[in-house]
């Protein structure tokens, strides 16, 4: 369960000394500058005319224009890429969360042979580099296409399947932590009152773990939304996602930096907003495993 | 379990039956049924590709055999010989890429850990604007990689980038000739900056959560004993995050070592030699020069290395923890 205790924790009644305050102020100011610089560049450049971003960098735009925000939809089929990303990331999220709910419930609530093997396997697959799965999956998809005619390579379904390689183990792992934090007495009481095991899962455990499930879903979505490796190999013209599509703003003659920045901002806003809204739940889940 | 048919059987008895019933199910097939979808998918997306990857690494798998990889000639350990023979170009390049990745990972993890820990410690106490700052610090973590890294790529452009504008035009450093950041030796530093920018908020998040678990009384007691704030940080705050650091550093290491997205968006399919991280190197060996056999052998070697490092690290840290507990 997320921690709702107030975050502000006064360390001591004494006011910190000046040296501490000065060092803190200097450090946090520099760090803020470092963090905010690209955000500033992204926002201001997205409002600049092309002549501004093609020449030497300017801190202040010579003139503000919203043209890049109109042009981004025509220079490349951004709406199509957006839709593809939405479908792929959404489907990968739903699949992995639904399957992980069952698996995590089994691990959290039952004792069975092979449980430890299962959890260790799930945990260890998270450390494997994506490149390890990319080559074989690519060849499997190509070969399945050649022998059965089922076009997995280049299809959204194929891409969704590859995204499960990272979103499924992550979802299972996080949900085990969340389900463990739901008191066992609750679903045992539900079982006593006549619920089957699945009834207990869906009437008691899932509702109690809703914040955790939402956080896992947001995180899985975010990761899939930002994925580049599989997207760059496993997509074609019709299934291309944003990760690959944004490269279309660089042509042989021109790089439309103002449009790239505008498009980057547009594709970032949904996930950044979602993340900032739900980060408290996410932090609770991410740290539950680490702090224990 | 039979249903209760005896007349007068009370609720207690029924309850007892159900409890025993659950007990039976709990040892039975149900957990496996619940796991079945996950097991099938794990098999499909992890186990089969991994076994296939290992098999592929023993074959001469070039573009001619992509349509039917089972026809590729079996070559035994030739791919591995090629990958580790540092006297030949392929092995030499792989070793170079591996060493670059090690140095890069070391620096990136150290900087991410330092920035994250320092920021978390400094923001442990409440001050005006803390909430806004905290949200801002999480933005690099939340931004999609390609959007964030492409912005950095823009900033590192030679002629129209912010970095050269500030260094050369505004500060007058480094001469009149603009620096190449995404080509040549400087690309290592460009990549490192982007990686730290993207990675440190994770350390910040984890350490901040760990600091919330420190009992307030510890600080009060220390303050009563006359410990100043620096002493409190050194004696209470930093030791308290020790256990969390073990996991945090391992996770940062694995993510940084395996990172493909950042160099790929920054440099494209072929990174400059100075910033040729191992995952990009394998990608290039496989999909640019179309030699999947060698690429697979490199992947397997990478996996073995990661497993070894993780095992040694977990062994050392768990022993350290046992010693500390004793």
């Amino acid at each position: 369960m997320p921690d709702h205790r107030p975050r502000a924790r006064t360390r001591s009644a004494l006011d910190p000394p000046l040296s501490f305050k000065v060092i803190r102020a200097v450090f946090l100011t520099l760090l803020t500058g470092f963090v905010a610089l690209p955000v500033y560049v992204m926002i201001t450049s997205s409002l600049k005319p092309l002549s501004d971003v093609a020449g030497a960098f300017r801190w202040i735009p010579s003139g503000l224009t919203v043209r890049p925000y109109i042009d981004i939809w025509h220079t490349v089929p951004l709406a199509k890429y957006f839709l593809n990303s939405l479908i792929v990331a959404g489907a990968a999220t739903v699949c992995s969360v639904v399957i992980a709910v069952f698996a995590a419930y089994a691990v959290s609530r039952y004792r069975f042979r092979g449980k430890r093997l299962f959890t260790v396997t799930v945990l260890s697959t998270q450390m494997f580099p994506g490149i390890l799965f990319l080559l074989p999956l690519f060849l499997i998809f190509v070969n399945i296409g050649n022998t059965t005619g089922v076009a997995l390579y280049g299809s959204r379904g194929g891409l969704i399947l590859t995204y499960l390689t990272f979103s499924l183990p992550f979802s299972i792992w996080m949900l085990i932590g969340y389900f463990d934090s739901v008191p066992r007495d609750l679903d045992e009481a539900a079982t006593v009152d006549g619920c089957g095991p699945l009834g207990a899962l869906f009437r008691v455990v899932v509702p109690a773990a809703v914040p955790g499930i939402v956080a896992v879903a947001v995180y899985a979505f975010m990761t899939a939304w930002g994925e580049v490796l599989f997207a760059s190999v496993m997509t074609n013209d019709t299934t291309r996602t944003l990760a690959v599509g944004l490269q279309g703003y660089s042509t042989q003659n021109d790089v439309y930096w103002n449009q790239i920045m505008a498009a980057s901002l547009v594709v970032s806003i949904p996930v950044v907003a979602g993340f900032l809204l739900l980060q408290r739940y996410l932090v609770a889940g991410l740290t539950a495993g680490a702090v224990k | 379990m039979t249903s209760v048919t005896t007349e007068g059987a009370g609720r207690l008895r029924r309850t007892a039956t159900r409890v025993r019933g659950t007990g039976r199910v709990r040892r039975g097939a149900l957990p496996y049924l619940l796991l079945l979808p996950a097991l099938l998918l794990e098999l499909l997306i992890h186990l089969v590709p991994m076994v296939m990857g290992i098999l592929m690494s023993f074959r001469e798998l070039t573009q001619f055999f992509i349509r039917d990889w089972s026809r590729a000639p079996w070559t035994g350990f030739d791919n591995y010989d090629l990958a580790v023979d540092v006297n030949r170009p392929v092995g030499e390049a792989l070793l170079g890429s591996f060493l670059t990745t090690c140095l890069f990972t070391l620096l990136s993890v150290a900087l991410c850990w330092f920035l994250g820990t320092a920021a978390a410690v400094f923001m442990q106490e409440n001050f005006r604007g803390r909430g806004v700052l905290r949200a801002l610090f999480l933005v690099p973590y939340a931004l999609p990689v390609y959007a964030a890294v492409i912005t950095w790529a823009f900033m590192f452009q030679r002629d129209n980038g912010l970095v050269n504008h500030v260094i050369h035009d505004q500060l007058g450093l480094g001469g009149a000739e603009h620096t190449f950041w995404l080509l040549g030796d400087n690309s290592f530093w460009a990549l490192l900056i982007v990686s730290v920018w993207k990675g440190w908020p994770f350390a910040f998040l984890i350490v901040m959560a760990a600091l919330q678990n420190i009992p307030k009384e510890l600080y009060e007691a220390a303050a009563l004993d006359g410990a100043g704030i620096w002493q409190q940080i050194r004696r209470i705050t930093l030791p308290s995050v020790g256990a969390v650091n073990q996991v945090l550093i391992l996770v940062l290491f694995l993510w940084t070592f395996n990172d493909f997205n950042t160099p790929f968006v920054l440099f494209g399919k072929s990174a400059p030699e100075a910033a040729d991280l191992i995952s990009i190197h394998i990608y290039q060996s496989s999909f640019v020069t179309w030699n999947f056999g060698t690429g697979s052998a490199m992947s397997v070697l990478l996996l073995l290395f990661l497993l070894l490092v993780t095992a040694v690290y977990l062994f050392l840290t768990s022993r350290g923890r046992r010693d500390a507990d004793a």
Side-chain angles (χ1 to χ4, degrees):
Chain A
M1 287 297 281
D3 189 349
H4 286 299
R5 277 177 301 171
R7 307 226 144 207
R9 199 187 269 281
T10 38
R11 192 201 301 263
S12 70
L14 299 168
D15 206 32
L18 192 65
S19 67
F20 179 82
K21 282 187 173 171
V22 169
I23 292 175
R24 179 174 72 185
V26 170
F27 177 83
L28 290 179
T29 306
L30 289 176
L31 195 58
T32 304
F34 179 49
V35 170
L37 198 58
V39 180
Y40 174 83
V41 169
M42 198 192 271
I43 295 171
T44 54
S45 303
S46 74
L47 296 164
K48 286 176 182 175
L50 187 61
S51 59
D52 252 22
V53 288
F57 182 81
R58 308 172 68 110
W59 285 97
I60 314 287
S62 67
L64 289 179
T65 168
V66 291
R67 267 229 76 92
Y69 285 91
I70 300 161
D71 293 341
I72 49 173
W73 306 95
H74 309 299
T75 312
V76 305
L78 187 67
K80 194 171 80 180
Y81 300 153
F82 215 104
L83 188 67
N84 283 336
S85 278
L86 210 58
I87 293 171
V88 172
T93 303
V94 171
C95 286
S96 52
V97 170
V98 168
I99 293 164
V101 161
F102 291 109
Y105 181 64
V107 172
S108 172
R109 292 301 197 258
Y110 291 93
R111 270 205 252 191
F112 55 90
R113 200 182 289 265
K115 176 169 157 172
R116 197 167 154 71
L117 179 70
F118 178 78
T119 50
V120 169
T121 311
V122 166
L123 185 64
S124 56
T125 51
Q126 290 191 75
M127 64 177 272
F128 295 168
I131 193 92
L132 185 76
F133 301 111
L134 177 74
L135 305 175
L137 283 171
F138 171 74
L139 286 187
I140 290 173
F141 286 3
V142 170
N143 278 294
I144 287 180
N146 285 334
T147 49
T148 66
V150 180
L152 275 174
Y153 171 65
S155 73
R156 292 194 201 99
L159 194 60
I160 292 165
L161 206 60
T162 63
Y163 279 13
L164 292 177
T165 58
F166 54 84
S167 67
L168 184 65
F170 168 82
S171 304
I172 293 176
W173 195 252
M174 292 266 289
L175 283 178
I176 292 174
Y178 280 113
F179 287 177
D180 278 347
S181 70
V182 176
R184 242 153 249 259
D185 302 349
L186 284 182
D187 49 309
E188 270 166 16
T191 327
V192 168
D193 286 345
C195 273
L198 286 182
L201 170 62
F202 285 112
R203 284 164 188 235
V204 180
V205 180
V206 167
V210 157
I213 293 173
V214 171
V216 172
V218 169
Y219 192 82
F221 187 85
M222 246 176 70
T223 327
W225 192 256
E227 206 282 332
V228 179
L229 175 61
F230 291 110
S232 69
V233 173
M234 299 286 196
T235 57
N236 59 27
D237 283 347
T238 53
T239 56
R240 195 150 292 162
T241 62
L242 292 168
V244 193
L246 285 200
Q247 288 163 16
Y249 293 103
S250 322
T251 62
Q252 291 252 293
N253 307 316
D254 280 307
V255 182
Y256 300 110
W257 282 111
N258 51 352
Q259 291 189 41
I260 296 179
M261 295 297 111
S264 298
L265 209 64
V266 168
V267 306
S268 300
I269 284 169
V271 284
V272 174
F275 180 81
L276 291 180
L277 281 174
L278 293 158
Q279 43 109 354
R280 265 160 206 262
Y281 303 119
L282 264 170
V283 174
L286 283 173
T287 49
V291 179
K292 254 180 235 161
Chain B
M1 219 26 77
T2 51
S3 60
V4 182
T5 47
T6 327
E7 273 203 6
R11 186 176 150 70
L12 194 70
R13 167 108 182 261
R14 255 179 285 150
T15 307
T17 315
R18 286 217 182 87
V19 169
R20 249 183 292 138
T22 3
R24 184 180 58 103
V25 170
R26 286 196 172 205
R27 282 189 302 275
L30 187 68
Y32 298 108
L33 278 177
L34 289 169
L35 280 183
L36 194 65
L39 282 174
L40 284 177
L41 262 180
E42 288 282 335
L43 198 73
L44 192 69
I45 59 179
H46 285 135
L47 203 67
V48 169
M50 220 148 74
V51 170
M52 227 185 105
I54 293 170
L55 289 176
M56 278 160 54
S57 69
F58 293 111
R59 288 171 188 272
E60 193 190 322
L61 197 55
T62 53
Q63 72 260 48
F64 305 112
F65 301 105
I66 289 175
R67 295 181 70 83
D68 186 5
W69 68 281
S70 60
R71 282 176 43 229
W74 186 270
T75 59
F77 281 94
D78 280 7
N79 286 320
Y80 290 90
D81 282 342
L82 195 66
V84 297
D85 185 354
V86 294
N87 293 319
R88 282 189 290 173
V90 173
E92 193 191 353
L94 182 67
L95 180 69
S97 162
F98 174 74
L99 294 177
T100 304
T101 312
C102 287
L103 181 66
F104 170 78
T105 305
L106 198 74
L107 290 173
S108 177
V109 170
L111 284 168
C112 285
W113 177 84
F114 171 75
L115 289 181
T117 306
V121 169
F122 280 134
M123 288 172 69
Q124 201 183 4
E125 262 176 292
N126 210 352
F127 55 85
R128 194 195 294 261
R130 181 169 168 268
V132 178
L133 219 51
R134 187 186 136 100
L136 176 73
F137 285 174
L138 295 179
V139 167
Y141 187 65
L143 278 174
V145 184
Y146 48 84
V149 178
I150 219 167
T151 309
W152 277 103
F154 176 46
M155 289 161 66
F156 280 123
Q157 291 296 305
R158 195 174 87 103
D159 296 322
N160 56 345
L162 173 147
V163 176
N164 275 348
H165 177 65
V166 170
I167 294 178
H168 293 274
D169 307 343
Q170 294 193 310
L171 298 175
L173 300 169
E177 200 64 17
H178 279 189
T179 315
F180 279 108
W181 288 102
L182 301 179
L183 288 173
D185 289 348
N186 291 321
S187 56
F188 181 86
W189 304 108
L191 182 61
L192 184 67
I193 291 170
V194 180
S195 171
V196 171
W197 181 85
K198 189 96 193 73
W200 81 269
F202 181 71
F204 171 65
L205 269 179
I206 301 290
V207 176
M208 207 155 61
L211 294 185
Q212 279 168 25
N213 293 332
I214 303 175
K216 200 178 158 192
E217 295 75 36
L218 275 181
Y219 290 115
E220 283 165 0
L224 277 178
D225 288 344
I229 195 147
W230 294 111
Q231 262 182 313
Q232 290 178 27
I233 289 172
R234 208 160 63 88
R235 298 287 165 105
I236 301 172
T237 312
L238 292 180
S240 304
V241 290
V244 174
N245 274 337
Q246 289 171 3
V247 179
L248 171 64
I249 287 172
L250 181 64
V251 171
L252 281 177
F253 163 79
L254 290 170
W255 281 355
T256 316
F257 208 94
N258 292 335
D259 190 16
F260 173 88
N261 296 335
T262 311
F264 185 77
V265 178
L266 204 55
F267 304 119
K269 286 180 179 174
S270 312
E273 207 185 322
D276 186 24
L277 295 193
I278 195 105
S279 51
I280 283 276
H281 190 85
I282 296 176
Y283 177 91
Q284 214 222 351
S285 306
S286 313
F287 286 94
V288 180
T289 57
W290 297 104
N291 197 337
F292 290 102
T294 320
S296 300
M298 292 176 180
S299 301
V300 174
L301 289 173
L302 171 64
L303 180 63
L304 289 177
F305 172 75
L306 293 174
L307 283 174
L308 184 76
V309 171
T310 307
V312 169
Y313 181 82
L314 288 179
F315 175 73
L316 288 178
T317 52
S318 69
R319 203 179 52 175
R321 207 180 307 174
R322 265 205 306 277
D323 291 347
D325 287 345

